[in-house]
């Protein structure tokens, strides 16, 4: 499995896009992009991951999943969401350690 940075670098190079151009699009320095691509820094924020996926025509879900895996966490803001969504997030967080693969597959399938 390729790392987040490898996926970004391969897609960027495949499009003939420079570090500087990608960095400008997502509002960071080219050094930061380079460090992410080389694995010296963790993947971009979720918002920037979505922007990178759009710019580089990558699957946003796959890229976000790889970024979350490498970061070791997922940020989920529920403040401005419906109460039912906040309940769902809280229930997932509470039961996270007890979910087996079948339950995870079922939840993903429901989405």
């Amino acid at each position: 499995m390729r790392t987040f940075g490898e996926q970004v670098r391969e897609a960027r190079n495949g499009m003939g896009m420079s570090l500087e151009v990608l960095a400008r699009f997502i509002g960071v320095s080219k050094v930061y992009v380079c460090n992410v691509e080389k694995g010296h820094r963790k993947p971009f924020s979720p918002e920037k991951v979505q922007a990178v996926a759009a710019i580089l025509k990558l699957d946003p879900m796959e890229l976000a999943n790889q970024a979350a895996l490498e970061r070791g966490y997922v940020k989920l803001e529920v403040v401005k969401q419906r109460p039912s969504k906040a309940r769902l997030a809280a229930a997932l967080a509470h039961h996270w350690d007890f979910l087996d693969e079948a339950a995870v597959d079922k939840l993903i399938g429901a989405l």
Side-chain angles (χ1 to χ4, degrees), residues 8 12 17-34 37 44 48 51-52 55-56:
V8 171
R12 181 181 58 73
M17 184 181 292
S18 70
L19 284 167
E20 187 173 2
V21 169
L22 179 59
R24 193 173 332 116
F25 272 124
I26 62 172
V28 298
S29 72
K30 67 180 182 180
V31 171
Y32 183 63
V33 173
C34 182
E37 288 185 353
F44 306 116
K48 291 195 185 322
V52 167
I55 293 162
L56 298 179

Side-chain angles (χ1 to χ4, degrees), residues 5-70:
E6 290 168 342
Q7 291 179 55
V8 171
R9 183 176 53 245
E10 288 172 15
R12 181 181 58 73
N13 286 336
M15 294 181 75
M17 184 181 292
S18 70
L19 284 167
E20 187 173 2
V21 169
L22 179 59
R24 193 173 332 116
F25 272 124
I26 62 172
V28 298
S29 72
K30 67 180 182 180
V31 171
Y32 183 63
V33 173
C34 182
N35 285 333
V36 168
E37 288 185 353
K38 290 181 178 180
H40 299 304
R41 297 203 54 171
K42 292 196 184 272
F44 306 116
S45 68
E47 298 80 16
K48 291 195 185 322
V49 168
Q50 294 303 310
V52 167
I55 293 162
L56 298 179
K57 299 184 183 0
L58 294 170
D59 181 312
M61 187 67 159
E62 280 186 29
L63 199 60
N65 286 341
Q66 186 63 34
L69 179 67
E70 291 180 27

Side-chain angles (χ1 to χ4, degrees), residues 45-100:
S45 68
E47 298 80 16
K48 291 195 185 322
V49 168
Q50 294 303 310
V52 167
I55 293 162
L56 298 179
K57 299 184 183 0
L58 294 170
D59 181 312
M61 187 67 159
E62 280 186 29
L63 199 60
N65 286 341
Q66 186 63 34
L69 179 67
E70 291 180 27
R71 268 199 243 67
Y73 69 91
V74 175
K75 179 182 171 187
L76 182 63
E77 189 170 319
V78 296
V79 174
K80 297 178 182 176
Q81 299 294 325
R82 295 188 319 255
S84 59
K85 287 184 176 182
R87 283 196 322 276
L88 174 60
L92 280 171
H94 181 73
H95 293 94
W96 191 256
D97 291 334
F98 307 104
L99 292 172
D100 61 20

